[in-house]
């Protein structure tokens, strides 16, 4: 078992594997559904300019289920070209097939990724022994640090605390993107490992940071990077009142983006409203936001102070 984690507050962003502020980045498409690498680079630059230490590419918000392995490599290379070494690039490589995940991990490493996001295998609902074997095999396959993605709402199975504690012994399993919403379970893992936690549920960002998460892997940060940077910095500085104020001001944005329909749909609509992307195209089975959803989004983003 790894040694217990120290209090995260004095830890500099540079000393963390993926910094503190990370956005799970969208994948822009042209109106015909083809990959728009120019827009990919524009969004990446916009996010890094907004204070992101790292970008998660080819995740669920990046519509990874509908992009090919070749497109995923193109995205990593395009983002690296755009942002250079100003941000770490964490490549989503997880599938529900261990052999395919290993292949994707090796391709991401060769393309220049700095780390891997490995989601719990979905749909086939493996037992915990299977999860341990899967994550270990992927971590063994490259020299990159791994962030495990615990999201039972999508995967159908959780990574239990005992499994995370066991996996923390692997030298390349260094972090968790936590979208499980089990703060007590997170505390248990933090108390028994040196894993770095990144909150993967925007509604729990402040709560997760308060119990010891070192950062966030956000969807809403597409339009609130500067605000989340300020929130994180306030927590690190011990200014809970300022962090609470920012967190509460962002409630309308979190609710409209994460609860009105699927997150990638609303984030693309939000980026279009903000003038960052020209097209809000998604690949089926996802569809663009309706006029009613866009009206809700506009109202709530204005209320949160994120658009004029």
């Amino acid at each position: 078992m790894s040694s217990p984690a120290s209090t995260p507050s004095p830890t500099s962003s540079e000393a963390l594997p993926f910094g503190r502020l990370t956005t799970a980045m969208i994948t822009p498409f042209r109106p015909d559904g083809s990959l728009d690498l120019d827009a990919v680079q524009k969004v990446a630059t916009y996010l890094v300019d907004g204070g992101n230490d790292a970008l998660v590419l080819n995740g669920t918000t990046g519509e990874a289920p509908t992009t090919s392995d070749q497109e995923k490599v193109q995205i990593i290379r395009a983002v690296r070209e755009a942002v250079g070494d100003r941000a770490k690039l964490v490549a989503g490589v997880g599938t529900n097939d261990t052999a395919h995940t290993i292949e994707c991990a090796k391709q991401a490493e060769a393309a220049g990724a700095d780390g891997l996001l490995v989601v719990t295998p979905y749909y086939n609902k493996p037992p915990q022994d299977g999860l341990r074997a899967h994550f270990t095999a992927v971590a063994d396959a490259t020299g990159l640090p791994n962030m495990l993605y615990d999201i039972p709402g999508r995967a159908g199975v959780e990574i239990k605390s005992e499994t995370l504690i066991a996996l923390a012994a692997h030298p390349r399993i260094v972090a968790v993107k936590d979208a499980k919403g089990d703060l007590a379970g997170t505390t248990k893992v933090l108390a028994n490992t040196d894993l770095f936690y990144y909150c993967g549920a925007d509604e729990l960002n402040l709560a997760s940071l308060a119990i010891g998460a070192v950062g966030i892997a956000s969807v809403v940060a597409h339009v609130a990077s500067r605000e989340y940077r300020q929130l994180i910095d306030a927590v690190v500085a011990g200014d809970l009142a300022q962090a609470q104020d920012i967190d509460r001001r962002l409630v309308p944005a979190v609710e409209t983006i994460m609860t009105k329909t699927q997150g990638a749909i609303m984030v693309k609509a939000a980026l279009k409203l903000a003038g960052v992307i020209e097209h809000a195209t998604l690949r089926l089975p996802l569809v663009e936001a309706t006029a009613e959803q866009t009206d809700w989004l506009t109202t709530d983003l204005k209320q949160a102070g994120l658009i004029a």
Side-chain angles (χ1 to χ4, degrees):
M1 182 176 69
S2 301
S3 59
S6 59
T7 303
S9 296
T11 307
S12 68
S13 293
E14 293 77 13
L16 299 169
F18 311 114
R20 292 193 184 276
L21 176 59
T22 303
T23 297
M25 199 179 104
I26 63 156
T27 299
F29 301 118
R30 299 184 185 92
D32 65 359
S34 60
L35 182 61
D36 188 343
L37 290 175
D38 289 339
V40 166
Q41 292 186 321
K42 182 178 180 180
V43 172
T45 301
Y46 163 79
L47 290 172
V48 175
D49 288 348
N52 279 269
D53 302 307
L55 301 174
V56 175
L57 309 176
N58 302 323
T60 309
T61 305
E63 297 177 71
T66 64
T67 57
S68 69
D69 290 357
Q70 181 181 10
E71 286 175 324
K72 290 176 173 66
V73 168
Q74 290 176 316
I75 290 164
I76 296 168
R77 289 176 175 163
V79 174
R80 176 61 73 206
E81 181 181 30
V83 305
D85 61 0
R86 293 199 297 141
K88 296 288 183 71
L89 305 186
V90 184
V93 298
T95 74
N96 58 352
D97 171 5
T98 304
H100 186 202
T101 301
I102 289 171
E103 180 182 352
C104 291
K106 291 178 177 178
Q107 290 174 349
E109 183 178 40
D114 298 298
L116 305 175
L117 178 72
V118 189
V119 71
T120 313
Y122 39 83
Y123 188 71
N124 43 17
K125 299 183 77 170
Q128 296 298 305
D129 286 348
L131 295 184
R132 284 192 291 271
H134 172 83
F135 288 126
T136 299
V138 177
D140 285 343
T142 77
L144 297 178
N146 284 219
M147 177 189 288
L148 307 187
Y149 188 8
D150 190 9
I151 182 163
R154 290 186 186 272
V157 61
E158 67 173 317
I159 313 174
K160 291 188 179 296
S161 297
E162 293 75 18
T163 301
L164 287 165
I165 291 168
L167 288 167
H170 196 292
R172 284 184 294 281
I173 295 176
V174 302
V176 177
K177 180 180 177 183
D178 181 17
K180 185 160 55 182
D182 177 11
L183 295 178
T186 296
T187 301
K188 180 177 179 179
V189 177
L190 288 170
N192 287 280
T193 75
D194 56 5
L195 289 171
F196 295 104
Y197 261 69
Y198 292 81
C199 181
D202 279 309
E203 69 275 13
L204 294 177
N205 282 338
L206 178 55
S208 296
L209 292 165
I211 65 170
V214 296
I216 67 175
S218 173
V219 174
V220 178
H222 279 92
V223 289
S225 286
R226 287 178 173 82
E227 289 76 10
Y228 277 132
R229 180 89 255 174
Q230 293 168 358
L231 186 152
I232 293 166
D233 290 346
V235 172
V236 172
D239 190 345
L240 184 59
Q242 182 186 7
Q244 288 172 336
D245 179 63
I246 297 167
D247 187 60
R248 291 167 186 175
R249 281 193 281 115
L250 292 176
V251 165
V254 173
E255 286 190 345
T256 195
I257 289 173
M258 303 309 299
T259 69
K260 295 294 174 67
T261 183
Q262 204 266 4
I265 294 172
M266 294 300 264
V267 160
K268 283 191 169 181
L271 287 173
K272 185 177 179 181
L273 285 173
V276 180
I277 59 175
E278 185 178 357
H279 307 293
T281 310
L282 298 104
R283 286 181 177 173
L284 290 172
L286 299 185
V287 294
E288 290 191 40
T290 64
E292 183 180 33
Q293 289 165 346
T294 303
D295 286 344
W296 292 335
L297 179 65
T298 302
T299 298
D300 290 340
L301 292 181
K302 286 180 178 178
Q303 186 179 347
L306 298 178
I307 60 173

